[in-house]
């Protein structure tokens, strides 16, 4: 019983939030609980609707980031989502759950820069007016200006993440080729100032750790504090999907992460480190990825529908796609010893995740002998 007490204390806030959400939105809350069970059990046939949805506004981008596979591709599926198609896609997700505490909901991002879609803010405002409680987008920040930052405030956007892969002009512009460091910093400062009357959106600075910036974590915290944002989110580059080859964490140690976290806390900033290897994949059970032209693909890492897709929402209803034979077969194969070919390089693939954990456990066991 004593061993269960720490777990019970950690679960108590979540249970309280679920109870509150259930009182306000019982159908969505029941669906959320079903989705949690599906994520844990990973059945072939799911009885829950998604609790998160990723819609790709565009595949156009104005940068040539050095770590992005898109930069080196000569065969891109270019296009942008129309407002009418967005409304049709969104209308098919009735149980999408989101709150400011359980950060699920609608994510408007994809292979390209979302703000290159001229209708992005109109889409966000429409989703908010339709009752979607939590809407999030990710941007490189380069096309933001005074008009767009005001539009962000007026749209009701809940969360914006800005890719900031360097604390200095030299580092930032060497990674995000085509970006202007000063312009991005100025625009985010402007957004942080304008939101003071509404406290929205929540602003993240995202840093993807790689060779060029691995020693700049604490400097990014300084920059975040100067810009007036809420959080720094760091993750190591997933080299399996990038143009580079890497087998390490670029020298980033647990001590460096802990130090940056403590440094951020001292400045009253949140700090989050996301480890791609920390949890196995749950996308096919709770979180569809929808491309700009309506196709459902497995996830953001496998977003090109020409390689693989489950069907098109502009041609077939989501209800018919979600538990179709192709989706059920994919879920079954993903948790088997022979996962789909497109997933085998990913550290979140359940078989890769299990193998990595077994290797780690064996190494720890050997070290204690």
């Amino acid at each position: 019983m004593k061993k269960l007490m720490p777990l019970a204390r950690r679960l108590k806030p979540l249970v309280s939030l679920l109870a509150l959400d259930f009182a306000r939105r019982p159908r969505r809350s029941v669906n959320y609980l079903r989705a949690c069970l599906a994520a844990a059990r990973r059945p072939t046939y799911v009885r829950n609707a998604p609790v998160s949805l990723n819609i790709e506004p565009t595949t156009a981008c104005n940068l040539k980031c050095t770590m992005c596979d898109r930069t080196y591709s000569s065969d891109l599926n270019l296009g942008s989502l129309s407002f009418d198609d967005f409304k049709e896609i969104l209308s098919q997700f009735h149980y999408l759950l989101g709150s400011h505490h359980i950060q699920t909901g609608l994510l408007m991002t994809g292979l390209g820069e979302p703000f290159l879609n001229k209708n992005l803010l109109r889409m966000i405002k429409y989703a908010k007016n339709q009752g979607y409680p939590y809407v999030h987008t990710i941007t490189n920040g380069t096309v933001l200006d005074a008009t767009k930052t005001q539009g962000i405030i007026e749209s009701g956007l809940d969360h914006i993440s800005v890719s900031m892969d360097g604390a200095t002009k030299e580092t930032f512009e060497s990674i995000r080729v085509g970006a202007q460091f000063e312009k991005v910093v100025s625009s985010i400062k402007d957004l942080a100032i304008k939101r003071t009357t509404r406290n929205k959106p929540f602003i993240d600075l995202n840093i993807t750790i790689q060779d060029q910036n691995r020693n700049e974590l604490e400097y990014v915290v300084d920059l975040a504090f100067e810009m007036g944002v809420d959080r720094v989110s760091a993750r190591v580059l997933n080299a399996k999907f990038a143009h580079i080859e890497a087998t390490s964490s670029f020298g980033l140690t647990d001590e460096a992460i802990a130090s940056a976290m403590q440094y951020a806390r001292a400045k009253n900033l949140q700090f989050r480190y996301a480890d791609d290897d920390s949890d196995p994949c749950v996308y096919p059970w709770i979180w569809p990825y929808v491309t700009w032209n309506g196709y459902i693909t497995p996830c953001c890492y496998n977003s090109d529908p020409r390689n693989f897709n489950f069907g098109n929402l502009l041609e077939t209803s989501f209800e018919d796609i979600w538990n179709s034979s192709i989706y059920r077969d994919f879920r079954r194969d993903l948790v088997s010893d022979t996962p789909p070919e497109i997933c085998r390089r990913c550290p979140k693939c359940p078989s890769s995740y299990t193998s990595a954990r077994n290797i780690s456990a064996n190494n720890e066991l050997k070290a204690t002998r």
Side-chain angles (χ1 to χ4, degrees):
M1 181 64 69
K2 289 182 179 180
K3 292 182 179 179
L4 295 176
M5 289 303 293
L7 176 61
R9 283 194 293 269
R10 289 197 300 270
L11 289 177
K12 186 176 180 180
L14 176 59
V15 171
S16 298
L17 288 170
L18 285 174
L20 180 61
D21 274 345
F22 185 82
R24 294 175 177 173
R25 300 183 290 265
R27 295 175 68 188
R28 287 181 175 180
S29 297
V30 168
N31 183 66
Y32 182 82
L33 291 173
R34 286 177 174 171
C36 290
L37 289 173
R41 296 175 177 176
R42 295 178 173 79
T44 299
Y45 183 95
V46 293
R47 300 187 181 278
N48 59 281
V51 293
S52 294
L53 175 65
N54 192 157
I55 298 180
E56 178 179 71
T58 184
T59 52
C61 191
N62 58 335
L63 300 185
K64 297 288 185 182
C65 299
T66 56
M67 71 289 193
C68 183
D69 197 45
R70 185 190 186 286
T71 298
Y72 308 94
S73 176
S74 58
D75 184 27
L76 294 170
N77 184 30
L78 294 174
S80 293
L81 177 66
S82 72
F83 183 67
D84 286 341
D85 286 349
F86 172 75
K87 291 197 297 182
E88 171 58 29
I89 291 168
L90 206 63
S91 70
Q92 300 189 48
F93 295 86
H94 305 295
Y95 294 99
L96 196 61
L97 174 71
S99 77
H100 290 275
H101 303 287
I102 304 168
Q103 290 189 11
T104 55
L106 175 62
L107 175 60
M108 297 290 293
T109 194
L111 187 63
E113 164 51 42
F115 281 92
L116 290 180
N117 185 319
K118 63 182 181 180
N119 288 312
L120 178 69
L121 292 176
R122 186 183 177 196
M123 293 172 183
I124 292 169
K125 190 170 187 177
Y126 177 83
K128 295 299 297 180
N129 288 339
Q130 290 296 303
Y132 285 83
Y134 201 87
V135 183
H136 177 197
T137 192
I138 302 172
T139 177
N140 61 34
T142 58
V143 295
L144 298 184
D145 55 24
T147 301
K148 285 190 175 68
T149 53
Q150 185 59 39
I152 289 170
I153 302 297
E154 295 172 357
S155 72
L157 180 67
D158 297 282
H159 187 169
I160 186 169
S161 298
V162 184
S163 300
M164 202 77 200
D165 294 323
T168 65
K169 177 180 175 67
E170 180 182 6
T171 302
F172 177 79
E173 294 183 2
S174 70
I175 294 173
R176 297 198 159 263
V177 178
Q180 295 180 6
F181 178 77
E182 295 89 350
K183 184 178 186 301
V184 174
V185 171
S186 175
S187 294
I188 302 308
K189 282 183 177 180
D190 181 49
L191 177 61
I193 292 170
K194 285 177 177 175
R195 66 170 181 163
T196 52
T197 56
R198 300 190 185 186
N199 295 320
K200 286 202 310 184
F202 182 91
I203 306 175
D204 247 330
L205 282 194
N206 286 355
I207 176 171
T208 302
I209 305 298
Q210 48 204 288
D211 276 332
Q212 299 100 307
N213 64 13
R214 62 184 177 182
N215 297 317
E216 295 193 8
L217 258 183
E218 292 192 5
Y219 296 113
V220 170
V221 171
D222 283 331
L223 181 63
F225 180 76
E226 176 191 337
M227 293 166 72
V229 307
D230 302 291
R231 183 171 72 183
V232 173
S233 294
R235 70 167 65 238
V236 171
L237 175 64
N238 186 341
K240 293 178 177 63
F241 291 95
H243 181 68
I244 66 169
E245 292 293 332
T247 57
S248 71
S249 58
F250 301 97
L252 185 67
T253 63
D254 291 341
E255 290 77 13
I257 296 168
S259 176
M261 193 173 296
Q262 185 176 4
Y263 189 60
R265 192 178 297 120
K267 290 180 173 289
N268 201 30
L269 279 172
Q270 297 180 40
F271 185 96
R272 184 174 75 104
Y273 176 68
D275 183 357
D276 272 347
D277 297 344
S278 61
D279 295 296
C281 177
V282 295
Y283 292 116
W285 290 271
I286 65 171
W287 193 348
Y289 183 99
V290 185
T291 66
W292 66 271
N293 49 354
Y295 287 96
I296 295 183
T297 64
C299 65
C300 59
Y301 290 128
N302 293 296
S303 61
D304 191 335
R306 297 173 299 178
N307 296 330
F308 183 86
N309 71 81
F310 299 110
N312 193 303
L313 288 173
L314 302 176
E315 300 168 357
T316 308
S317 73
F318 178 72
E319 289 184 359
D320 289 336
I321 293 174
W322 188 227
N323 276 306
S324 63
S325 58
I326 188 170
Y327 233 133
R328 296 198 310 270
D329 290 346
F330 186 88
R331 293 184 187 114
R332 180 199 63 213
D333 293 344
L334 186 59
V335 296
S336 73
D337 293 332
T338 55
E341 180 65 32
I342 59 173
C343 300
R344 293 178 188 176
R345 296 185 301 157
C346 182
K348 297 184 80 67
C349 179
S351 60
S352 300
Y353 171 86
T354 302
S355 298
R357 286 298 177 271
N358 287 340
I359 291 170
S360 176
N362 289 334
N363 288 340
E364 289 178 7
L365 182 61
K366 290 175 182 177
T368 60
R369 288 177 176 173

